[in-house]
Amino acid sequence: MEPFPDQFMEFHPIHGTNVRLDHSGTQATRVESFANGVCFSKHPLKPGEIFLIEIQDKELGWCGHLRIGLTARDPRGLEVVPEYSIPDLTTLGDSWVFAITRNHNKIIEDAEAGGEQAGDEGLAGGQRLGRGEVEDGAGREGDGGGGNTKPMTFFTDSDLYIENVRIPKDKLVGRSRPGRYSHILDDLYKTNALPPTARRSRIGVLYVPKGRDLADMHIVINGEDMGASAKGIPTIQPLYAVVDVFAATKCVQIVQVEYGFSSLQTLCRKAIQKHMVHRMAIDSLELPEALKNFCKYE
């Protein structure tokens, strides 16, 4: 897919009544209750462009977590922002939203239905393959082959490929707050061993073109593609990202992803990381403090 120029991602000024944005427009906090936390991207997404957020804060006492997806409805055209993304926004039509749960976010396609069939047949309204709304305490689906359990080093693969879309991977994986056990916690994010609803997890949404004026919606959690959660989405109208700061999810922050050529700073950071066991080992290097922090993604 042709590379496109980076655009600075922000939340749309139109959002749920319980949402407060920071001055940069990149952090959304639900200030009360558990609902009315629906947010949109300020601009429509380009094909293959990911809208990536990090869970900054949670709130105990509520059942349910973050919801994310796409909508063909321009936020400026809404008479009122729906209280819930599911089912209020999806009931309006032209919206595809997936509820992130503690487990089982991976889409397992029905072999009998044919993996690409929905996209090839061109369902006018799009077909939701799963909404992930069932919570349970079972182990991760990945134990049976659905997840990525192989050990990974700090210096991970440089790109994530979904069909013909390439996404730089260095920003996709969550990182713990710097501390004594950061080298252990970071590996848990990289292997998706932590629940995706944990603080510092990074969750993104994008759409991948599939034939003429159609696309599949993909959810990416900590650098792992969860599969096509909606197929046959019409792309004639612009598609905005939807983030519902719902229930136990209290605050989210947009993470900017760079698609172009890496800057000299980024190349130097990767060269240093390549020789480190984990990012906190960078503290032992004789480098300026600012450079150490940059290398640790602080």
Side-chain angles (χ1 to χ4, degrees):
M1 176 171 288
E2 291 292 327
F4 41 79
D6 299 335
Q7 70 171 341
F8 187 75
M9 294 288 189
E10 299 174 69
F11 286 113
H12 204 287
I14 295 174
H15 49 69
T17 56
N18 284 337
V19 170
R20 297 294 180 270
L21 302 182
D22 71 346
H23 67 281
S24 69
T26 63
Q27 186 180 79
T29 304
R30 194 187 68 256
V31 294
E32 59 181 80
S33 184
F34 63 94
N36 284 303
V38 176
C39 303
F40 307 94
S41 59
K42 186 174 182 178
H43 304 289
L45 300 184
K46 300 180 181 71
E49 183 178 37
I50 190 169
F51 190 83
L52 182 66
I53 58 96
E54 180 179 280
I55 297 177
Q56 293 284 299
D57 199 10
K58 300 180 67 176
E59 185 172 25
L60 299 177
W62 300 116
C63 181
H65 301 277
L66 180 83
R67 296 165 174 187
I68 193 168
L70 300 170
T71 183
R73 293 183 171 270
D74 190 328
R76 296 171 298 180
L78 295 172
E79 292 184 9
V80 62
V81 177
E83 184 176 6
Y84 305 98
S85 58
I86 304 174
D88 296 6
L89 181 62
T90 54
T91 299
L92 294 176
D94 297 326
S95 298
W96 303 268
V97 182
F98 192 94
I100 304 299
T101 68
R102 289 178 59 83
N103 305 288
H104 306 301
N105 296 287
K106 191 102 175 179
I107 300 299
I108 306 300
E109 296 189 14
D110 186 352
E112 295 181 1
E116 304 299 328
Q117 188 173 358
D120 294 338
E121 290 182 356
L123 301 176
Q127 178 188 16
R128 279 194 294 273
L129 299 183
R131 281 161 50 183
E133 294 179 70
V134 178
E135 293 278 2
D136 63 50
R140 279 189 55 81
E141 215 165 274
D143 294 342
N148 181 6
T149 57
K150 67 178 181 179
M152 300 176 69
T153 60
F154 173 48
F155 190 70
T156 60
D157 296 336
S158 58
D159 297 296
L160 171 68
Y161 289 91
I162 304 175
E163 302 287 341
N164 61 338
V165 170
R166 179 190 68 84
I167 309 171
K169 201 171 183 179
D170 64 330
K171 294 289 187 73
L172 297 183
V173 183
R175 300 170 182 88
S176 64
R177 287 189 170 88
R180 183 176 180 182
Y181 301 105
S182 291
H183 60 292
I184 299 174
L185 293 173
D186 285 352
D187 282 342
L188 297 181
Y189 286 107
K190 292 175 186 176
T191 57
N192 263 337
L194 290 175
T197 56
R199 288 182 180 87
R200 313 284 281 189
S201 279
R202 295 186 176 183
I203 301 172
V205 63
L206 70 152
Y207 67 92
V208 178
K210 300 288 287 185
R212 185 175 180 180
D213 297 330
L214 292 173
D216 292 350
M217 180 179 81
H218 284 251
I219 305 295
V220 175
I221 299 178
N222 286 318
E224 182 182 358
D225 175 26
M226 296 292 110
S229 52
K231 286 197 166 190
I233 295 176
T235 58
I236 299 174
Q237 294 177 288
L239 294 172
Y240 294 80
V242 179
V243 176
D244 191 350
V245 189
F246 178 71
T249 302
K250 176 76 171 176
C251 177
V252 299
Q253 175 82 42
I254 295 175
V255 179
Q256 308 295 334
V257 178
E258 299 175 2
Y259 295 87
F261 292 105
S262 298
S263 65
L264 180 58
Q265 282 183 318
T266 299
L267 292 174
C268 290
R269 178 174 64 188
K270 287 184 176 181
I272 293 172
Q273 291 171 347
K274 190 172 185 178
H275 299 281
M276 295 291 103
V277 177
H278 56 82
R279 66 186 169 111
M280 300 314 294
I282 292 172
D283 284 331
S284 63
L285 300 177
E286 294 184 2
L287 295 172
E289 198 65 27
L291 182 55
K292 289 182 183 179
N293 290 339
F294 178 77
C295 291
K296 291 184 293 184
Y297 294 97
E298 293 180 37

